[in-house]
Amino acid sequence: MADAKELLKEIKAKGELTVKDRMAIPQMEMPAQDPKVRARNMNEVALGYTEEQAIVEANRCLQCKNQPCIAGCPVAVQIPQFIAQVAKGEFKKAVDIIKETSLLPAICGRVCPQEKQCQGQCTVGKTYKSAEKAVSIGRLERFVADWERENNQVTLPQIAPKTGKKVAIIGAGPAGLTVAADCARAGHDVTVFEAFHKAGGVMMYGIPEFRLPKKIVQNEIDNLKKMGVTFECNFLVGRTNTLEQLLEEKKFDAAFVGTGAGLPKFMNIPGENLIGVFSANEYLTRANLMKGYDKEHAATPIYEAKHVVVCGAGNVAMDAARMAFRLGAEKVDIVYRRTRNEMPARLEEIAHAEEEGVNFRFLENPVEVLGTEDGHVRGVRCLSYELGEPDASGRRSPVAISGSEHDLECDAMIVALGNGSNPLLVKTTPGLDADKKGHIVVDEKQATSHAKVWAGGDIVLGAATVILAMGEGRKAAAAINEYLSK
Ligand code: FAD
Ligand code: SF4
Ligand code: SF4
C-alpha cells in the first residue's frame, strides 16, 4: 500500500499539480480487516481512510469542467466541489457541500453502488478504462461524514417557524427519513410510523452490521429526533390504524408512503417449509435487528447451522452468505443457475464473499429441499444447468440438463431471490393505486392517485437503492411542502 504521509509531502512540495501529476498519484486503497478474522466478527470490514489518505485521494481529482461524476449521482452531489475542500483539508466545508443534496453521506459513502453511479462516470476511471480506478468518491464521502460525527462537528439544519400542519410518514427507511427531514425543516409537525420496533428500514434490519454499523444509522435517526421529528414504532399502518384514519381522525394534512419492498420471494419448490429454510430478509433481520446471534439474551436465537446453502447471486445473497459465517457456519455455498459473468451482485461484494471463504457453485439450482424425519433441513436436491440464448434481461438464460439431479448436504438454506412489495397499505387505502407488481403509481412529483398522499422509494421503484429512495424522498418532500404552503 502506498505511504500516504510520504505522498502528501511530495504533493505539498510540488504546490500546483498538473493533470499528469494528478493522474500519477496512486489510488488510496481502503484499509480493511483481515478476511479470516473478519469472517468471524460483526465489526465493519472497511476501516476508513486516514486524514492523509483522504487528502492524497482527493488530489487525484482533475476538477473536470464538465463534471461528469455529478451526472452519475442520483441526487447530484456537487462532487468536484466537495473533493476540492477535502484536498485542502477543509473537511467540515466538504461535508456541508454534500449535505446540501444528500441527507445521509456516512451511509451513502458506504453502501451506494458507486461504480455504477458517480464513479462510473469519472474521467480518471474512464482514462484507465476501469471504474475501480476512478477517484474514490464514496470513500471520501464516508471519510468526511465520519470525521464530522467523530469530531462532534455535526450541525443540525435550520428549522422554519412552525406552520401547524401535520405530516405522516409511513415507513422509516431512507425514503421516509428524507421526507421527515425536509418536511421538519419547513416547520411542519412530522410523525414517522414504523412497523418494526426500530427505525431505519433496510439500513437497520437488512444491510449487515459489518457493512453498515447500526450506530451510524441510529445517529441519523437521533438527529431527526433533535429536529423535532416524532417516531411511533411498532405501528403497522393498515392494521394499528389505516392511512385514512391517520388523515381523517388524527388530522394529518398530508402523508408519505415509503414502505419499501419487504416481501420476500420464494422458489415454490417442495420442502421450502422445512425448519432451517429462511428468506434472506428473515435471516438478516434476526441477526441485525433482533440480535439472534446473542444466544443467551435474544428472545428468538438464530437457528444453528454448520453448512448453509444460499440460493441467489445478488447483493442480498452475498450479505446472507457472509452473515452465515459470522453466525457460526463452517461451510457456506452459494448456488446459482448461471455463471459468474451473469451475477447481479457488485464485484466488490463478490470479492469480499470469496475472500471470506464463501464457495460459489455455478450452473446449479435447487429443485427440492430435503428434510429429516423431524422436519429439519438435511440437504437440497439440485439440477445442473447450461447456458442458452440471451433472455429478456440480456443475460444468457439457464437451461436445465435433464437427468442431472444430485443432492447437496446442508442443514440450512437461505433463499435470496429478491423482494416484492407488501400489498397491505394499498389494500386498506381506498383510492391508492398500484400497478400489477404492487408498486404504488406516482407522477413526476411523487404524487399518488390519493389527493393527500405521496410515495417513494422501493414501494414505487421495486427493490432499488438507498440513494434512489432518498432522491424520491427529496422530490416528494418538496411537493408536500408546496402543497401545504397553499
Ligand atoms: P425500506 O428501507 O425498506 O424501509 C421501509 C420501512 O417501512 C421498513 O422499516 C418497514 O418496516 C416499514 N413498513 C413497511 N410497511 C409498513 C406499514 N404498513 N406501516 C409502517 N411501517 C411499514 N441498497 C444500497 O444502496 N446499497 C446496498 O448495499 C444495499 N444492500 C442491501 C442489502 C439488503 C439485505 C437489502 C434487503 C437491501 C439492500 N439495499 C441496498 C437496498 C436498499 O436498502 C433499499 O433500496 C432501500 O432501503 C429502500 O428504502 P425505502 O425507504 O424505500 O424502504
Ligand atoms: Fe456517489 Fe452515492 Fe455520494 Fe452520489 S450519494 S456522490 S452516488 S456515493
Ligand atoms: Fe473529479 Fe472524476 Fe469528477 Fe472529474 S469526473 S471532477 S476527476 S471526480
Side-chain angles (χ1 to χ4, degrees):
M1 203 184 285
D3 184 339
K5 282 191 182 152
E6 286 304 314
L7 284 166
L8 191 53
K9 267 193 216 154
E10 285 171 29
I11 290 170
K12 282 188 178 157
K14 277 203 170 120
E16 275 297 295
L17 295 185
T18 62
V19 168
K20 204 171 156 203
D21 292 333
R22 290 184 190 281
M23 290 296 292
I25 300 173
Q27 186 183 40
M28 292 291 98
E29 279 174 38
M30 180 63 117
Q33 279 196 71
D34 179 80
K36 284 202 182 75
V37 176
R38 74 186 191 224
R40 298 285 165 195
N41 70 47
M42 284 283 183
N43 300 338
E44 193 174 10
V45 166
L47 300 172
Y49 277 162
T50 60
E51 290 193 8
E52 289 85 3
Q53 285 172 319
I55 297 175
V56 171
E57 184 63 23
N59 274 288
R60 295 180 67 228
C61 173
L62 307 177
Q63 294 293 318
C64 310
K65 287 225 162 52
N66 55 346
Q67 309 182 338
C69 47
I70 298 184
C73 170
V75 296
V77 166
Q78 299 298 291
I79 295 165
Q81 290 78 355
F82 102 73
I83 294 183
Q85 295 299 338
V86 180
K88 287 192 243 167
E90 296 280 1
F91 306 136
K92 177 64 181 155
K93 284 186 184 158
V95 74
D96 284 346
I97 292 172
I98 303 173
K99 282 189 169 175
E100 283 166 19
T101 40
S102 168
L103 179 72
L104 308 168
I107 295 171
C108 294
R110 284 173 164 81
V111 306
C112 265
Q114 290 114 9
E115 70 284 1
K116 289 194 189 133
Q117 298 180 338
C118 50
Q119 290 174 201
Q121 302 302 320
C122 173
T123 313
V124 175
K126 293 221 156 139
T127 311
Y128 285 116
K129 296 194 172 44
S130 160
E132 305 267 301
K133 295 260 175 72
V135 175
S136 306
I137 301 166
R139 293 172 185 173
L140 291 173
E141 187 167 319
R142 166 198 162 132
F143 168 79
V144 290
D146 287 356
W147 180 91
E148 184 193 42
R149 192 183 61 256
E150 285 159 11
N151 290 283
N152 296 321
Q153 299 283 317
V154 178
T155 38
L156 294 178
Q158 288 261 313
I159 309 278
K162 287 276 172 210
T163 61
K165 298 280 171 64
K166 287 173 64 179
V167 180
I169 315 276
I170 324 302
L177 297 181
T178 305
V179 180
D182 285 357
C183 288
R185 247 192 259 202
H188 307 311
D189 274 338
V190 177
T191 306
V192 180
F193 296 94
E194 167 56 47
F196 274 130
H197 61 278
K198 268 198 181 161
V202 172
M203 301 185 296
M204 197 58 110
Y205 70 76
I207 305 179
E209 173 79 21
F210 55 83
R211 282 209 293 125
L212 177 61
K214 301 308 150 210
K215 67 172 194 287
I216 290 173
V217 184
Q218 190 56 50
N219 193 66
E220 299 300 344
I221 290 155
D222 292 344
N223 286 340
L224 286 175
K225 287 183 184 163
K226 286 183 200 150
M227 287 166 65
V229 173
T230 304
F231 285 85
E232 292 253 12
C233 289
N234 294 315
F235 197 116
L236 182 65
V237 179
R239 286 275 183 277
T240 319
N241 273 165
T242 62
L243 183 51
E244 278 306 314
Q245 281 174 316
L246 293 181
L247 292 166
E248 297 306 318
E249 293 170 20
K250 299 206 167 167
K251 306 284 179 219
F252 280 93
D253 299 286
F256 172 79
V257 179
T259 46
L263 199 68
K265 290 180 186 157
F266 279 93
M267 306 181 86
N268 296 319
I269 57 174
E272 248 181 328
N273 55 358
L274 285 165
I275 302 165
V277 178
F278 297 90
S279 69
N281 255 31
E282 180 188 345
Y283 193 75
L284 291 167
T285 304
R286 279 174 183 274
N288 282 321
L289 194 61
M290 294 150 84
K291 309 274 180 256
Y293 54 84
D294 185 358
K295 292 178 193 123
E296 283 177 23
H297 303 104
T300 51
I302 206 92
Y303 185 79
E304 285 194 42
K306 293 292 170 217
H307 183 179
V308 176
V309 165
V310 179
C311 307
N315 292 320
V316 177
M318 301 306 124
D319 281 344
R322 296 172 70 194
M323 183 62 91
F325 272 134
R326 286 156 174 87
L327 297 180
E330 285 161 11
K331 188 163 187 230
V332 181
D333 285 316
I334 286 194
V335 172
Y336 180 46
R337 56 193 188 140
R338 291 177 158 111
T339 68
R340 182 182 291 270
N341 295 338
E342 291 79 30
M343 283 178 77
R346 292 176 69 188
L347 292 179
E348 191 186 353
E349 298 306 322
I350 298 170
H352 276 149
E354 239 168 4
E355 284 164 17
E356 289 171 15
V358 174
N359 178 43
F360 291 90
R361 296 178 65 109
F362 296 114
L363 295 168
E364 206 174 31
N365 204 38
V367 285
E368 184 180 352
V369 192
L370 308 169
T372 57
E373 276 178 9
D374 62 353
H376 288 77
V377 173
R378 69 171 171 84
V380 283
R381 179 152 300 156
C382 296
L383 268 183
S384 298
Y385 281 72
E386 57 192 2
L387 288 183
E389 293 302 310
D391 62 13
S393 71
R395 294 176 301 172
R396 289 182 66 192
S397 56
V399 181
I401 302 171
S402 66
S404 63
E405 284 91 346
H406 55 278
D407 295 348
L408 180 60
E409 271 182 33
C410 66
D411 43 16
M413 181 174 103
I414 303 172
V415 184
L417 297 179
N419 289 321
S421 33
N422 190 320
L424 177 66
L425 216 79
V426 171
K427 269 193 190 158
T428 55
T429 312
L432 185 61
D433 292 347
D435 66 14
K436 276 190 209 145
K437 289 184 172 165
H439 302 159
I440 293 181
V441 180
V442 296
D443 69 7
E444 69 290 347
K445 288 186 171 178
Q446 308 296 135
T448 68
S449 51
H450 188 302
K452 290 184 182 176
V453 181
W454 285 257
D458 282 6
I459 188 65
V460 167
L461 298 166
T465 62
V466 169
I467 192 68
L468 286 172
M470 266 184 50
E472 295 222 313
R474 272 252 127 119
K475 271 198 283 169
I480 293 171
N481 290 340
E482 188 190 341
Y483 167 77
L484 294 179
S485 69
K486 284 178 189 156

